[in-house]
């Protein structure tokens, strides 16, 4: 009797507070009790039934029955055969199956797919802009949603219409974080927008949170209304720089044209030759390589910026040097190759002349030294010859004196 009263009390409490279901797809709020019915089971013992659970808490199928004990504080089988989860959590998401045998031997199976949810706090827009500037990218604000499960999504609205990011005038930077202990999500969405010039002077923005499960209503922020103002356009100073500076180049040379426009974001640069736009992709640099007669003319560039409009630079003339304007002096023959050859030959001729002079000087020095060495030898020979002559002259003188006597 007491057991029956207890079961009746549980059924009453769950019917008022928890969730009693019989379908296949089940959603339950985190922290609330959940009761799953085992179809076909006798309402009173004895019962032949078995529950199988495959959730985030189990590595394989967990089996529960009326004859077994409760599964800690996670789940237990009630006397009427239903399965009770007193406080369902994120780890209890998964598959629940019950197989029951009636008293007349008929088998009935129940299958439930359980998903949990947690409704986040109402989203809000933090750090909203005070006003917006037309023609430039502005940060509108950051939408924040905290404490939800599953994560869900955030979306922006302008004057009641959904804003779709296009990477140009509208861009959204999103961030999702998950709490390491509770497993709940925090979403952030930063909106940037470029209001059009000449558009409406007031814009109204709002942000909405959409749950990640069906049949749950969306949550909306309070709208913010921002004024849009358009600054007076400032003339954009565009400079065209050419290398070489005078724009004159030899045939086959290279000319580099650089268009400078100091503004952010960088403007789009287009090129004009002789008053006609060139069919080239936008680029701040125009390179003319292997310049020929077809490249001669007047060049300018046009910088287009949303805050300034199109601005054209001064024009620069590109010309090709004629033969004789640069290179060998008048009267000379040949081009740069012959000039280099003449220089080499001149250097070699100078080196040869220097070598010849050094050789003559060395030869004269050698000759002078040889003559100095030979001088003493010649003196000795002359003395010997004089001595021999004297010896020959003495006998002859003696014979002459004897004949006279």
């Amino acid at each position: 009797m007491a057991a029956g009263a207890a079961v009746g009390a549980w059924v009453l409490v769950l019917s008022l507070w928890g969730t009693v279901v019989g379908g296949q797809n089940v959603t339950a709020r985190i922290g609330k009790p959940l009761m799953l019915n085992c179809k076909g089971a006798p309402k009173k013992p004895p019962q032949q039934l078995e529950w199988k659970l495959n959730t985030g808490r189990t590595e394989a199928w967990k089996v529960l029955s009326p004859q077994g004990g409760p599964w800690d504080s996670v789940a237990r089988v009630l006397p009427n055969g239903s399965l009770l989860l007193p406080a369902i959590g994120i780890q209890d998401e998964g598959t629940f199956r019950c197989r029951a045998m009636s008293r007349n031997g008929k088998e009935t199976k129940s299958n439930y797919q359980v998903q949990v949810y947690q409704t986040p706090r109402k989203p809000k827009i933090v750090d909203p802009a005070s006003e917006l500037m037309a023609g430039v990218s502005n940060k509108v604000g950051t939408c924040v949603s905290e404490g939800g499960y599953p994560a869900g999504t955030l979306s922006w609205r302008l004057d009641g219409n959904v804003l779709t990011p296009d990477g140009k005038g509208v861009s959204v930077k999103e961030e999702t974080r998950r709490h390491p202990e509770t497993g709940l999500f925090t979403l952030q969405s930063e909106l940037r927008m470029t209001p059009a010039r000449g558009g409406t002077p007031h814009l109204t923005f709002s942000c909405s949170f959409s749950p990640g499960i069906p049949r749950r209503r969306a949550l909306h922020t309070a709208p913010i209304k921002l004024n849009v103002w358009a600054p007076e356009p400032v003339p954009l100073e565009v400079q065209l720089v050419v290398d070489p500076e005078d724009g004159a180049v030899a045939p086959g040379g290279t000319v580099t044209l650089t268009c400078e426009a100091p503004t952010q974001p960088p403007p789009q640069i287009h090129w004009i030759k002789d008053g006609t736009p060139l069919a080239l992709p936008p680029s701040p640099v125009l390179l003319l390589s292997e310049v020929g007669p077809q490249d001669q003319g007047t060049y300018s560039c046009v910088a287009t910026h949303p805050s300034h409009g199109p601005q054209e630079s001064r024009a620069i003339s590109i010309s090709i040097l004629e033969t004789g304007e640069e290179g060998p002096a008048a009267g000379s023959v040949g081009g740069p190759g012959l000039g280099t050859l003449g220089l080499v030959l001149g250097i070699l001729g100078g080196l040869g002349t220097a070598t010849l002079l050094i050789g003559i000087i060395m030869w004269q020095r050698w000759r002078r030294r040889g003559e100095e060495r030979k001088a003493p030898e010649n003196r000795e020979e002359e003395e010997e010859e004089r001595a021999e002559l004297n010896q020959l002259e003495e006998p002859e003188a003696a014979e002459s004196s004897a004949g006279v006597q």
Side-chain angles (χ1 to χ4, degrees):
M1 185 70 178
V7 171
W10 267 112
V11 172
L12 176 61
V13 170
L14 291 173
S15 62
L16 295 176
W17 181 36
T19 307
V20 181
V21 295
Q24 291 187 348
N25 295 321
V26 180
T27 58
R29 187 169 182 176
I30 295 175
K32 299 295 183 178
L34 172 67
M35 187 170 69
L36 303 175
N37 293 327
C38 185
K39 297 177 182 179
K43 299 302 180 183
K44 297 180 181 180
Q47 300 158 325
Q48 295 183 12
L49 62 88
E50 178 183 73
W51 279 95
K52 287 185 176 182
L53 289 68
N54 187 2
T55 68
R57 300 181 188 271
T58 62
E59 295 182 359
W61 289 96
K62 176 73 175 179
V63 179
L64 295 177
S65 65
Q67 294 77 25
W71 181 22
D72 299 330
S73 60
V74 177
R76 67 188 183 93
V77 179
L78 298 178
N80 66 352
S82 298
L83 181 69
L84 171 66
L85 288 84
I88 194 166
I90 295 176
Q91 290 182 315
D92 296 316
E93 287 187 316
T95 304
F96 295 75
R97 294 176 180 174
C98 181
R99 184 171 59 87
M101 188 74 67
S102 65
R103 299 190 189 281
N104 58 7
K106 182 181 178 181
E107 184 180 85
T108 304
K109 295 181 179 180
S110 304
N111 187 10
Y112 301 96
Q113 194 68 34
V114 175
Q115 184 179 14
V116 302
Y117 71 92
Q118 181 63 50
T119 303
R121 292 189 287 273
K122 185 177 180 180
K124 57 185 177 180
I125 299 176
V126 299
D127 299 328
S130 57
E131 59 183 4
L132 303 178
M133 181 186 299
V136 298
S137 177
N138 302 261
K139 178 183 174 182
V140 176
T142 302
C143 183
V144 180
S145 171
E146 296 177 317
Y149 185 89
T153 58
L154 292 175
S155 60
W156 286 89
R157 293 177 179 270
L158 172 61
D159 297 331
N161 300 316
V162 177
L163 270 177
T164 303
D166 56 10
K168 298 178 181 179
V170 179
S171 63
V172 173
K173 180 181 179 182
E174 297 181 336
E175 181 181 356
T176 301
R177 299 192 305 271
R178 190 172 187 181
H179 196 281
E181 296 179 1
T182 64
L184 302 181
F185 290 93
T186 296
L187 307 182
Q188 289 187 356
S189 176
E190 179 185 287
L191 173 64
R192 298 190 68 90
M193 183 178 178
T194 305
R197 287 180 172 273
T200 177
H202 308 288
L203 297 175
T204 301
F205 297 89
S206 63
C207 177
S208 300
F209 169 81
S210 299
I213 54 177
R215 298 187 298 276
R216 306 304 302 178
R217 66 183 182 89
L219 302 176
H220 308 283
T221 65
I224 59 173
K225 188 174 182 179
L226 302 178
N227 295 328
V228 181
W229 66 282
E232 292 295 329
V234 179
L236 180 63
E237 184 179 357
V238 182
Q239 294 185 351
L240 182 56
V241 181
V242 62
D243 182 26
E245 293 184 2
D246 58 358
V249 63
T254 299
V255 176
T256 302
L257 298 169
T258 304
C259 192
E260 299 178 351
T263 184
Q264 292 296 329
Q268 282 196 337
I269 306 296
H270 298 274
W271 294 93
I272 296 177
K273 178 188 177 186
D274 297 331
T276 302
L278 295 177
L280 298 173
S283 174
V285 177
L286 177 61
L287 181 65
L288 304 177
S289 58
E290 299 182 0
V291 173
Q294 71 280 1
D295 298 313
Q296 294 187 112
T298 302
Y299 290 81
S300 62
C301 64
V302 176
T304 303
H305 191 273
S307 300
H308 304 275
Q311 298 288 333
E312 186 174 357
S313 71
R314 66 183 180 90
I316 289 181
S317 296
I318 302 300
S319 60
I320 298 178
L321 294 172
E322 297 180 1
T323 305
E325 289 187 30
E326 186 175 286
S332 63
V333 179
L338 293 178
T340 303
L341 179 60
L343 177 61
V344 173
L345 293 177
I347 293 173
L348 293 177
L351 292 175
T353 303
T355 304
L356 181 60
L357 291 174
I358 293 172
I360 292 173
I361 294 172
M362 296 298 293
W363 178 78
Q364 288 178 348
R365 289 182 179 179
W366 175 80
R367 182 179 179 185
R368 189 179 299 110
R369 290 177 183 175
E371 291 176 353
E372 291 176 355
R373 284 195 301 268
K374 289 181 178 180
E377 296 178 358
N378 292 338
R379 294 192 193 96
E380 293 178 358
E381 291 178 357
E382 290 177 356
E383 291 178 357
E384 290 178 357
E385 290 179 356
R386 290 194 190 96
E388 291 178 357
L389 291 175
N390 292 336
Q391 290 177 0
L392 292 175
E393 289 178 355
E394 288 178 358
E396 290 179 357
E399 291 178 357
S400 300
S401 59
V404 172
Q405 292 177 358

